[in-house]
Amino acid sequence: MNNLSQNKYSSALETVRSLKAKYGNSWNAINSESAARMASQNRFKTGLDIAKYTAAIMRKDMAEYDADSSNYTQSLGCWHGFVAQQKMIAVKKHHKTTNKSYLYLSGWMVAALRSEFGPLPDQSMHEKTAVPSLIAEIYDFLRQADAIELNDLFRRKESGEDVQDQIDNFETHIVPIIADIDAGFGNEEATYLLTKKMIEAGACAIQIENQVSDAKQCGHQDGKVTVPHEDFVAKLNAIRYAFLELGVDDGVIVARTDSEGAGLTQKLPVSQELGDLASQYLAFVEAEEIAIDQAREDDVLLKRDGKLVRPVRLLNGLYKFKEGTNIDRVVLDCVTSLQNGADLLWIETPTPNVKQIAHMVNRVREVVPNAKLVYNNSPSFNWTLNFRNQAYDEMLEAGIDVVGYDRNNLMDAKYDGSSLCKRADEKIKTFQMDGAREAGIFHHLITLPTYHTTALHMNDLTEGYFGEEGMLAYVKGVQRQEIRKGVSCVKHQRMAGSDLGDDHKSFFAGDKALKAGGENNTSNQFSSESSSKEEKEKMSSVA
């Protein structure tokens, strides 16, 4: 997508020239070309500008997926603006476009890494303000990436290079973010207020789950408590009203159901007539038939099929759902959400199994034919073990010899090069493509990848740096790899905005500007004549 056309620069240039003519000699120090250049480097002035722009992208992508399931989208969870920035720079570098690439903001990582209370579990205990703050931070870093890359292009143009086409067709690093609002952090009014802050920060898609706000659990943990449909629909409405109030007409709502793994409810809704949503919800509640004289003082009783029943109630006041009703509850949750304003679904599953996901989605599609999922390719799954088990079952069913494998120990490294494990790895490799085609998965994401990569990389660097390798561990494992692979941050001063700041200071102070990028700047070592031709080509893309 062409995101910066020459007429935007020309328009900004004409505006500044008109202002200079209007205000006279007092504006003589303002260079029209420099001001227009700065305006071009900052296309998105507010978070609302971003939300409107990215919402349109998501709507386009959803329509393209409906026409062809190979047009699925992807994202990685980012817990800091810098992480998101480097992700999108890498996407552009390796894939030449940001098309179909999003960002994900995980409530789990906000709790674990961004709370002023310190590291917290994923139970909605962190400050709600931390969520919109992270959204704003991410987009600040992405706008900086735009400014730095465009500034480099303008520098090259001024030195005589023909890069006008690259400027005219510059593709922004700004992409949609799917932002986790957990269970809404309170009642529907609280949900509405927080949603507004998230949208104002730039979020075009809000993901909300049907758990009780004050008893929220991570989707991959036990003890989840869901709410009646009417309560959840009220929060979907609150989100839509927030989008409409702020003028983000294409805003996207992702309705997540945790019913597959949830066995409890906090409330028994009031049914107005047989078969309504409350009645359907109550039908899932486990209850025992009793006679009226068996009722205890303060018992809660229901009439079901002409009989008196007592819902099974735990000591904490929560009610149990019937065993085996979870899939039916998921389907009803999904259908109800789509019929009440949700755009996309999120189903938490116990394992990453395309057939199991498709079984639920196909039931939903019997009612809502274009239903589609955002799916969590979660690090909570043991992907290796899950897919080795799937491969084992498929081989067994196909009559392929599996005698050489211990079914209870398939994680053993001795199997890593085996035919079973190669088959399993191929299934992992095609999981997203298969899920998009067979299970209605429009968007694949990994919630916590950068949490794990940070831990892994610190483990590896620490082992060598504090061991026998010393400084070589950093040079060989980090810096040399940055140079070889053209990672932008090898020139960390530039990535932090030093070159951009130098140019700005020239605009502001002219020849009096004190610049950082002179001959004594050690970053010049990364563009030295001693670099190989291949490395210099990579480094030019970094610069």
Side-chain angles (χ1 to χ4, degrees):
M1 182 180 292
N2 296 346
N3 295 322
L4 178 70
S5 61
Q6 178 64 16
N7 64 6
K8 292 185 182 298
Y9 174 83
S10 300
S11 176
L13 184 61
E14 185 60 35
T15 298
V16 178
R17 285 173 173 169
S18 297
L19 288 169
K20 288 187 66 174
K22 177 180 178 180
Y23 291 108
N25 293 338
S26 65
W27 279 46
N28 281 350
I30 302 299
N31 181 280
S32 300
E33 287 75 14
S34 298
R37 172 172 152 183
M38 292 178 71
S40 299
Q41 291 169 189
N42 182 22
R43 173 182 176 183
F44 301 97
K45 312 307 182 194
T46 70
L48 280 178
D49 292 338
I50 292 171
K52 292 173 183 178
Y53 169 77
T54 54
I57 290 176
M58 280 197 72
R59 292 291 178 177
K60 174 185 70 71
D61 288 347
M62 290 160 66
E64 290 178 359
Y65 174 81
D66 287 339
D68 181 354
S69 64
S70 68
N71 290 315
Y72 61 90
T73 57
Q74 299 168 289
S75 68
L76 296 172
C78 298
W79 53 272
H80 193 280
F82 174 73
V83 175
Q85 179 195 68
Q86 293 305 302
K87 172 198 159 183
M88 294 316 304
I89 288 173
V91 166
K92 284 189 69 174
K93 181 179 74 174
H94 292 297
H95 304 288
K96 311 307 178 188
T97 179
T98 62
N99 188 38
K100 302 293 187 294
S101 297
Y102 298 175
L103 291 160
Y104 181 66
L105 185 152
S106 160
W108 192 103
M109 285 208 286
V110 172
L113 299 169
R114 301 295 302 235
S115 173
E116 293 184 11
F117 291 103
L120 297 171
D122 184 23
Q123 296 174 1
S124 286
M125 296 162 64
H126 55 277
E127 313 90 328
K128 62 177 69 176
T129 54
V131 184
S133 294
L134 178 53
I135 296 168
E137 175 184 291
I138 285 172
Y139 283 124
D140 280 346
F141 273 83
L142 294 184
R143 284 188 283 199
Q144 185 202 42
D146 279 1
I148 289 172
E149 187 175 339
L150 277 164
N151 190 65
D152 289 346
L153 288 170
F154 278 114
R155 277 187 166 194
R156 290 167 61 188
K157 181 183 176 182
E158 289 174 353
S159 67
E161 287 189 60
D162 183 11
V163 294
Q164 188 61 56
D165 184 65
Q166 293 181 56
I167 293 173
D168 292 346
N169 295 289
F170 179 79
E171 186 175 33
T172 179
H173 296 84
I174 300 291
V175 295
I177 188 167
I178 299 175
D180 185 2
I181 198 172
D182 284 358
F185 285 87
N187 61 21
E188 53 268 33
E189 174 69 5
T191 301
Y192 154 77
L193 293 171
L194 178 54
T195 298
K196 281 181 62 178
K197 291 299 183 184
M198 293 169 71
I199 298 168
E200 288 169 343
C204 72
I206 305 295
Q207 169 217 325
I208 186 167
E209 61 207 58
N210 68 337
Q211 290 191 47
V212 176
S213 289
D214 60 358
K216 181 258 190 295
Q217 295 276 20
C218 172
H220 290 276
Q221 292 182 321
D222 205 354
K224 293 183 287 295
V225 185
T226 59
V227 298
H229 293 95
E230 291 88 345
D231 292 19
F232 192 55
V233 168
K235 291 188 176 183
L236 297 180
N237 290 338
I239 295 170
R240 183 62 65 202
Y241 273 106
F243 273 126
L244 293 173
E245 177 183 340
L246 295 174
V248 185
D249 300 342
D250 290 334
V252 176
I253 301 175
V254 182
R256 169 176 147 181
T257 172
D258 283 298
S259 291
E260 198 284 335
L264 301 169
T265 184
Q266 190 180 56
K267 292 171 63 175
L268 298 179
V270 177
S271 173
Q272 303 296 325
E273 58 182 71
L274 186 64
D276 62 14
L277 270 178
S279 176
Q280 294 178 69
Y281 191 81
L282 289 168
F284 292 126
V285 175
E286 184 177 335
E288 54 185 351
E289 183 180 348
I290 65 168
I292 189 63
D293 59 357
Q294 294 176 297
R296 298 187 292 265
E297 290 295 319
D298 301 320
D299 257 348
V300 174
L301 305 177
L302 295 173
K303 181 181 178 182
R304 181 180 287 171
D305 299 325
K307 300 173 182 177
L308 194 64
V309 297
R310 177 168 54 207
V312 175
R313 195 177 190 187
L314 306 182
L315 292 177
N316 55 19
L318 299 173
Y319 297 93
K320 287 183 63 177
F321 286 117
K322 296 176 187 175
E323 292 290 332
T325 63
N326 55 335
I327 304 303
D328 290 336
R329 285 185 279 120
V330 166
V331 173
L332 182 60
D333 292 344
C334 290
V335 170
T336 301
S337 296
L338 293 173
Q339 290 176 336
N340 287 274
D343 302 293
L344 296 168
L345 301 171
W346 174 312
I347 299 174
E348 287 286 7
T349 64
T351 61
N353 186 301
V354 171
K355 291 181 180 178
Q356 292 175 2
I357 302 165
H359 172 71
M360 290 183 278
V361 174
N362 288 336
R363 287 185 58 187
V364 175
R365 284 183 160 181
E366 290 174 4
V367 183
V368 185
N370 69 338
K372 43 194 169 287
L373 291 186
V374 171
Y375 187 75
N376 178 8
N377 292 214
S378 176
S380 294
F381 301 138
N382 185 330
W383 285 78
T384 301
L385 184 58
N386 270 294
F387 279 86
R388 288 182 181 183
N389 279 323
Q390 291 179 38
Y392 185 97
D393 290 337
E394 289 180 4
M395 291 171 67
L396 194 63
E397 185 177 346
I400 300 173
D401 184 11
V402 292
V403 173
Y405 301 100
D406 179 1
R407 179 62 187 265
N408 297 316
N409 196 28
L410 290 179
M411 273 297 295
D412 197 312
K414 70 182 180 182
Y415 296 135
D416 284 357
S418 68
S419 60
L420 181 147
C421 296
K422 290 178 181 177
R423 180 186 291 248
D425 283 354
E426 184 62 25
K427 287 174 68 67
I428 295 172
K429 179 181 177 181
T430 64
F431 174 80
Q432 295 190 342
M433 187 186 308
D434 296 340
R437 183 182 62 252
E438 300 172 22
I441 301 177
F442 159 73
H443 185 77
H444 282 279
L445 62 88
I446 307 177
T447 44
L448 319 175
T450 50
Y451 179 89
H452 291 278
T453 53
T454 301
L456 176 63
H457 292 160
M458 287 309 299
N459 174 79
D460 294 348
L461 174 60
T462 301
E463 179 183 19
Y465 180 75
F466 291 97
E468 293 183 0
E469 286 189 309
M471 190 58 193
L472 181 61
Y474 174 79
V475 173
K476 184 174 68 174
V478 180
Q479 189 180 80
R480 194 175 296 163
Q481 296 304 311
E482 289 179 307
I483 295 170
R484 299 281 190 259
K485 297 176 181 179
V487 175
S488 59
C489 277
V490 70
K491 286 189 170 185
H492 51 261
Q493 306 287 14
R494 168 192 169 273
M495 198 67 252
S498 181
D499 291 353
L500 182 66
D502 274 359
D503 284 0
H504 288 173
K505 285 184 279 188
S506 294
F507 300 163
F508 307 154
D511 293 338
K512 298 177 183 178
L514 181 63
K515 300 180 184 179
E519 63 181 23
N520 291 327
N521 189 318
T522 56
S523 289
N524 296 334
Q525 297 171 24
F526 296 100
S527 301
S528 70
E529 292 301 318
S530 61
S531 299
S532 70
K533 179 181 178 182
E534 180 182 355
E535 287 168 15
K536 284 196 284 186
E537 287 175 351
K538 289 182 178 178
M539 289 309 302
S540 68
S541 68
V542 172

